Amino acid sequence: MRDDLVAAGKSPKSRCCGSVRVKMRLISCVAAVAAFPVFTAAQPATVLPGESAGQGEATVTVSQRGRAFDPEETTLTEGGTLTIVNDDQFLHHAYVESDALSFDSGSQPIGSRTDIVFDQPGEYVVRCDIHPKMRLKVTVLPD
């Protein structure tokens, strides 16, 4: 192969160097991209399934999975939003009955998201009309 390159008027060294130049440019580009920090917009606090909300969050996401709410207890601040995601293989129907809040989601198809806004501090229970053993305790703290 070396003889073919020489016969064609090309130096074996120039072919090698061209390949090295391409590799060096690629490495330089990757290094340049890695050097720039990535900035993202602030997202609302979200409590994922299996976690605890702590002192009270503005937004909490709860999963419906295995015919249960996950987590089974959460804490929001006054005016906060509870998002319920149906991650189950079954239809659900969330509702809240209290003097401070009346909420009924209707049928919740698989994969659907339902938001409930809690405008007043207090203790609430979210239940599923289809699966009576499902219970989510929601504590809403004053803002």
Side-chain angles (χ1 to χ4, degrees), residues 7-20:
K10 297 182 180 178
S11 161
K13 185 177 178 182
S14 67
R15 177 174 179 167
C16 175
C17 290
S19 176
V20 170

Side-chain angles (χ1 to χ4, degrees), residues 2-136:
R2 180 179 176 93
D3 293 334
D4 293 338
L5 290 171
V6 172
K10 297 182 180 178
S11 161
K13 185 177 178 182
S14 67
R15 177 174 179 167
C16 175
C17 290
S19 176
V20 170
R21 272 191 228 116
V22 170
K23 288 180 186 175
M24 290 305 292
R25 280 191 186 144
L26 180 61
I27 291 170
S28 296
C29 289
V30 171
V33 170
F36 288 100
V38 176
F39 296 99
T40 58
Q43 298 295 318
T46 299
V47 178
L48 300 175
E51 295 180 352
S52 172
Q55 295 298 319
E57 303 290 340
T59 302
V60 174
T61 300
V62 172
S63 176
Q64 294 168 311
R65 183 180 312 135
R67 295 182 183 162
F69 289 106
D70 185 15
E72 293 179 341
E73 292 185 29
T74 192
T75 304
L76 288 167
T77 54
E78 182 178 357
T81 301
L82 173 70
T83 299
I84 301 172
V85 181
N86 184 353
D87 291 321
D88 219 333
Q89 299 176 0
F90 310 101
L91 186 71
H92 287 288
H93 184 139
Y95 70 93
V96 178
E97 284 185 2
S98 77
D99 292 338
L101 175 67
S102 180
F103 175 84
D104 189 319
S105 70
S107 294
Q108 294 175 274
I110 297 167
S112 67
R113 299 174 69 88
T114 301
D115 291 335
I116 307 172
V117 177
F118 291 84
D119 290 326
Q120 295 184 22
E123 299 284 327
Y124 299 88
V125 176
V126 179
R127 302 193 69 108
C128 177
D129 197 38
I130 299 170
H131 307 104
K133 292 183 180 180
M134 288 180 66
R135 183 179 190 279
L136 169 64

